[in-house]
Amino acid sequence: MEAIFELLFNELKQSTRASELNCREVAARLATEVTRICNESTRIQALGAVETWATKLARHRLQQCLNYYKLGSKAGRVELHSTLSAIVYRYITPRGASSIYQNRLTLIEDFLQGFYVEVLSAFRREGAMSQLAPTSSTYRPQTLLELAEYLAFTERYAKRRIRFSNNRSQQLIVLRAQAFVQKQPPETSVDMEQAAEGGTSESEANWDEALVQQVRQVMGTQEEAPNQEDSLRQSVIKELMAYLQERQQEDCANYFTLRLQDLTAQEIEAIMGLTPRQRDYLQQRFKYHLVRFALLHRWELVHEWLEADLERNLGLTPQEWQAFVASLEPQQLSLLELKQRKLSDREIARNLGWTVTQIQKQWFKLLEKAWDLRN
């Protein structure tokens, strides 16, 4: 276990911006899980080479965690929610009930809220096995790395295969979805809104209200997002709309408005009276202006919203940042240093002997390179 722990710990330190203590705690929980699986799996024990299997499992869990970490808090939750929704979509249709798309989405939301409660309990229970980083009955993710660890665990927990006596198996989340639809057992179906609001129904008595609240904080809905993040998002939207209108790109602004409503391509085409080819051209034009806006016109605002500003090394991990800096030419490196000192473009131009336009073009290239590296 010690070798697995060191592998995970060192990788987390290199690939994230989390503190050393945070990396140590997450590595300990992952190492405990991997060791337990290798010890309890009869297949792994029969095949031998337990250390090799342990290393493979550790790297797999590490990669899952880092994938969610790179997505960030909001995008990571959306990605998990989308993945699980896609798995259970075909099963969440009560017999005899309307199968209207919106009705089914509402049922999926109800089901997944209950499922997240179950997962958090399982995460606490299994994490508590780690002597190096015990997970208490009140634990909930606090940092981005801990949230990524929890999201990765939730995906694995949902996809666990439950085997039956007839040699068949099914994913755990599918079994839960089927039970939810059939109302058997009844406790798998719960009004999460009522539980969170402190109602007094009999079914609520079986649920820990504080636990429900903690899950809501972790997997929070759009309206529960932090005010600062909400405010930055609205500022980005407002500035982008103004940018498009200033450049007389009304059709791009209209397209952006429809995209914000999560409409499908076909719906956008019908509303704007476009053919698929015309809509594709419009989408490419919008993308062009979007990139110019994000990497040149209002790069500070966009990068602050993405938590990828200069104070946070453009959102790069320590390892990525080292590679990024090492790839820069001497003049580009000087430009980066002057930007970090928060000098204006005119002041930087005087220092480097460039024009303001040259400064902006070179900075666009630097941000584009960092963007590609980050994504």
Side-chain angles (χ1 to χ4, degrees):
M1 177 175 172
E2 186 61 33
I4 295 298
F5 168 76
E6 289 297 329
L7 167 68
L8 293 167
F9 175 57
N10 291 330
E11 287 288 342
L12 289 173
K13 274 204 309 182
Q14 285 294 318
S15 303
T16 71
R17 299 186 298 274
S19 68
E20 183 171 324
L21 176 60
N22 200 196
C23 290
R24 187 176 296 277
E25 291 174 344
V26 172
R29 284 193 290 271
L30 292 176
T32 298
E33 181 187 3
V34 168
T35 303
R36 176 177 58 80
I37 290 172
C38 290
N39 289 337
E40 294 179 0
S41 172
T42 54
R43 186 173 68 90
I44 291 177
Q45 293 293 329
L47 290 171
V50 176
E51 291 185 6
T52 302
W53 279 102
T55 302
K56 286 182 179 180
L57 283 173
R59 289 194 178 280
H60 177 258
R61 276 150 176 70
L62 174 69
Q63 192 55 54
Q64 279 186 314
C65 184
L66 292 178
N67 286 343
Y68 278 112
Y69 181 88
K70 290 175 181 178
L71 284 172
S73 170
K74 187 173 181 179
R77 294 196 300 267
V78 170
E79 176 67 21
L80 174 68
H81 203 69
S82 301
T83 299
L84 301 187
S85 297
I87 293 174
V88 302
Y89 182 81
R90 59 177 292 197
Y91 302 98
I92 305 292
T93 306
R95 296 172 185 171
S98 171
S99 59
I100 295 174
Y101 178 70
Q102 191 57 50
N103 291 348
R104 188 179 293 193
L105 286 186
T106 302
L107 282 173
I108 290 174
E109 288 292 326
D110 290 343
F111 163 70
L112 286 178
Q113 284 295 331
F115 185 72
Y116 294 141
V117 172
E118 176 186 340
V119 175
L120 186 56
S121 296
F123 181 70
R124 289 169 169 173
R125 182 175 63 253
E126 296 184 15
M129 298 177 187
S130 170
Q131 295 179 352
L132 293 175
T135 303
S136 72
S137 60
T138 59
Y139 171 86
R140 66 182 180 88
Q142 299 283 351
T143 66
L144 179 56
L145 179 57
E146 289 175 350
L147 178 60
E149 176 198 14
Y150 169 71
L151 297 178
F153 176 87
T154 301
E155 183 179 344
R156 291 197 302 274
Y157 183 84
K159 294 178 178 179
R160 286 181 182 179
R161 306 295 300 190
I162 306 300
R163 301 195 177 278
F164 305 107
S165 56
N166 57 1
N167 290 327
R168 296 181 62 186
S169 66
Q170 184 57 275
Q171 289 179 320
L172 176 63
I173 193 171
V174 172
L175 296 177
R176 293 291 189 266
Q178 292 172 331
F180 172 82
V181 170
Q182 297 167 1
K183 307 299 183 184
Q184 293 178 351
E187 57 267 21
T188 58
S189 175
V190 63
D191 186 340
M192 298 300 292
E193 293 293 341
Q194 188 179 52
E197 290 168 5
T200 57
S201 68
E202 291 181 2
S203 63
E204 188 192 354
N206 296 323
W207 291 84
D208 179 352
E209 184 177 342
L211 185 61
V212 174
Q213 277 302 113
Q214 288 168 14
V215 172
R216 285 189 175 280
Q217 289 174 16
V218 173
M219 307 296 295
T221 56
Q222 178 67 32
E223 58 269 21
E224 290 174 330
N227 291 335
Q228 184 180 8
E229 182 179 345
D230 237 3
S231 176
L232 282 172
R233 179 178 183 274
Q234 292 303 319
S235 295
V236 170
I237 292 173
K238 182 179 178 181
E239 291 283 345
L240 178 53
M241 291 294 284
Y243 172 86
L244 293 172
Q245 290 167 353
E246 182 182 328
R247 282 155 182 75
Q248 299 181 338
Q249 297 294 325
E250 292 293 337
D251 50 352
C252 285
N254 293 335
Y255 174 78
F256 180 44
T257 301
L258 296 176
R259 283 294 302 271
L260 287 174
Q261 298 176 36
D262 289 328
L263 298 181
T264 65
Q266 292 75 15
E267 290 171 326
I268 292 175
E269 290 164 9
I271 293 172
M272 297 189 70
L274 303 174
T275 65
R277 188 167 185 173
Q278 288 172 327
R279 193 262 311 155
D280 186 57
Y281 284 146
L282 176 58
Q283 181 174 306
Q284 293 303 316
R285 185 148 48 91
F286 171 71
K287 182 179 178 181
Y288 167 81
H289 287 289
L290 181 63
V291 171
R292 301 284 296 179
F293 173 81
L295 300 184
L296 185 62
H297 183 70
R298 287 305 310 271
W299 72 268
E300 300 102 323
L301 175 64
V302 173
H303 283 69
E304 182 184 0
W305 174 51
L306 295 175
E307 298 182 352
D309 46 21
L310 278 171
E311 286 74 14
R312 283 170 278 203
N313 291 342
L314 299 176
L316 301 175
T317 65
Q319 191 173 13
E320 290 170 340
W321 179 253
Q322 290 177 4
F324 173 70
V325 172
S327 70
L328 300 182
E329 298 174 1
Q331 284 188 315
Q332 291 177 319
L333 194 57
S334 298
L335 172 59
L336 176 62
E337 291 171 351
L338 293 171
K339 281 285 187 179
Q340 288 175 319
R341 287 163 52 185
K342 299 183 178 180
L343 298 184
S344 68
D345 286 349
R346 291 188 180 280
E347 291 172 316
I348 295 174
R350 284 198 296 270
N351 274 276
L352 297 181
W354 293 353
T355 65
V356 171
T357 301
Q358 287 175 316
I359 294 294
Q360 292 174 344
K361 285 183 178 178
Q362 287 298 320
W363 185 240
F364 180 93
K365 291 180 181 179
L366 287 189
L367 291 180
E368 194 172 34
K369 181 182 289 189
W371 192 287
D372 291 339
L373 201 60
R374 188 168 60 247
N375 294 295

